Amino acid sequence: MSADLTIAQALRQAQQAGLDRVDAHLLLGHLLQRERSWLIAHDDALLTETQQQHWNGLVRRRLDGEPVAYLLGEREFHGLTLQVSPAVLVPRPDTEVLVDWALECLHACGAATPRVIDLGTGSGAIALALRHRWPAAELTALDASAEALAMAQANAQCLRLPVRFLLSDWWQAVDSETFDLAVSNPPYIAGDDPHLPALRHEPRQALTPEGDGLDALRTLVRDAAPHLRPGAWLLFEHGWDQAEAVRRLLTAAGFVEVQSRQDLAGLDRCTGGRWPGPAGSAQR
Ligand code: GLN
């Protein structure tokens, strides 16, 4: 028989064991299906024995490094609540910078129903945020993982946001189709990056293409041209130290207006360029 445990004691014990205070409230709120304010107002309420067991399990998993988003089964991204599982990367706040930049491109694009593609969509975060904020856009989202696509599809259904999902190794499944805007948050961490072990609960193939971390970006740039309409932007998220390399890749491939944007920490985190169209066509 486990001893009586109040909400206040459960939260205190978890923090003493090393759990972050906000995480502790989020996880216990999730377990009890209550808001944080309820936990605070009822912190002398007792947990049942089953609840205590679940709580101990959640605390243990969090202390072992499992992302809170997986334990909760969801994560906020750009104003949407997305379901997440270990089949998909947890959407990061920094990726909202890429979404905001893409929305600026859509503003400037002028097409009534712009065709937009998200390559390596994972949970669907970027594609769904864009479709949410730009309902006139026609969204296509690709991923090489069927499990990730199932998650993205479930999110689209839940949020009632129509997006076309395709199983595809980067550009492969879109053959001869062309787009007004292409965005991607590909795996970009180097295979020997010392931070990878801390991310071990997330799908490795979504984090790293192995090697120097640039292979997915190289493939995406190399095969982009036939899929981009004249004037289309190609935007990437990448590692904190990869902006110059990505700018070079885009410039060498013939992109113009190549530039980078900073993340919330002030690091160049996104880089993009504009496709001028086939050689000889008017450049803007
Ligand atoms: N930004 C993530 C991280 O460094 C990785 C995302 C990615 O590889 N696309 O944790």
Side-chain angles (χ1 to χ4, degrees), residues 16-270:
Q16 278 163 359
L19 209 72
D20 173 80
R21 189 180 139 79
V22 175
D23 288 357
H25 279 89
L26 279 171
L27 291 171
L28 191 56
H30 170 71
L31 173 67
L32 302 178
Q33 292 294 296
R34 298 286 189 178
E35 298 291 325
R36 189 168 184 207
S37 53
W38 189 95
L39 297 182
I40 293 165
H42 298 84
D43 70 354
D44 55 351
L46 289 172
L47 300 187
T48 66
E49 205 168 322
T50 314
Q51 286 168 340
Q52 284 189 43
Q53 278 164 11
H54 282 158
W55 176 241
N56 290 336
L58 282 173
V59 171
R60 210 174 322 110
R61 289 170 64 187
R62 179 63 195 130
L63 291 174
D64 180 48
E66 272 191 65
V68 177
Y70 290 160
L71 299 175
L72 300 177
E74 62 181 38
R75 168 65 116 221
E76 291 286 313
F77 180 79
H78 216 275
L80 299 175
T81 301
L82 299 169
Q83 302 172 61
V84 293
S85 76
V88 298
L89 195 76
V90 176
R92 314 285 206 261
D94 286 333
T95 306
E96 295 181 347
V97 172
L98 188 65
V99 171
D100 289 337
W101 190 2
L103 287 169
E104 281 177 40
C105 294
L106 287 173
H107 266 287
C109 157
T113 53
R115 301 196 74 227
V116 182
I117 185 163
D118 172 19
L119 300 113
T121 196
S123 62
I126 297 172
L128 293 167
L130 290 176
R131 183 58 180 71
H132 179 233
R133 293 292 299 278
W134 205 271
E138 276 178 23
L139 261 300
T140 297
L142 313 175
D143 208 285
S145 153
E147 266 186 293
L149 276 183
M151 183 93 274
Q153 225 142 10
N155 278 317
Q157 244 154 34
C158 248
L159 297 165
R160 295 179 205 286
L161 293 168
V163 169
R164 176 178 66 145
F165 293 102
L166 298 173
L167 188 66
S168 178
D169 196 2
W170 303 128
W171 297 99
Q172 253 168 27
V174 284
D175 294 335
S176 55
E177 294 183 39
T178 58
F179 299 88
D180 297 292
L181 171 65
V183 290
S184 180
N185 172 19
Y188 54 67
I189 300 177
D192 62 355
D193 189 296
H195 298 102
L196 270 178
L199 305 173
R200 68 188 175 283
H201 294 281
E202 295 184 85
R204 189 173 170 98
Q205 84 214 56
L207 290 164
T208 175
E210 307 300 336
D212 67 356
L214 286 163
D215 276 355
L217 287 151
R218 287 189 188 100
T219 303
L220 284 162
V221 173
R222 185 195 66 203
D223 299 339
H227 302 288
L228 297 178
R229 296 176 173 174
W233 282 91
L234 173 60
L235 308 180
F236 295 118
E237 178 178 319
H238 51 68
W240 62 276
D241 57 351
Q242 292 172 331
E244 205 186 312
V246 178
R247 285 196 295 265
R248 256 190 271 117
L249 282 174
L250 286 166
T251 305
F255 284 80
V256 294
E257 297 178 51
V258 172
Q259 55 196 278
S260 299
R261 294 274 171 111
Q262 295 183 337
D263 64 14
L264 307 171
L267 299 164
D268 277 352
R269 176 65 65 177
C270 299

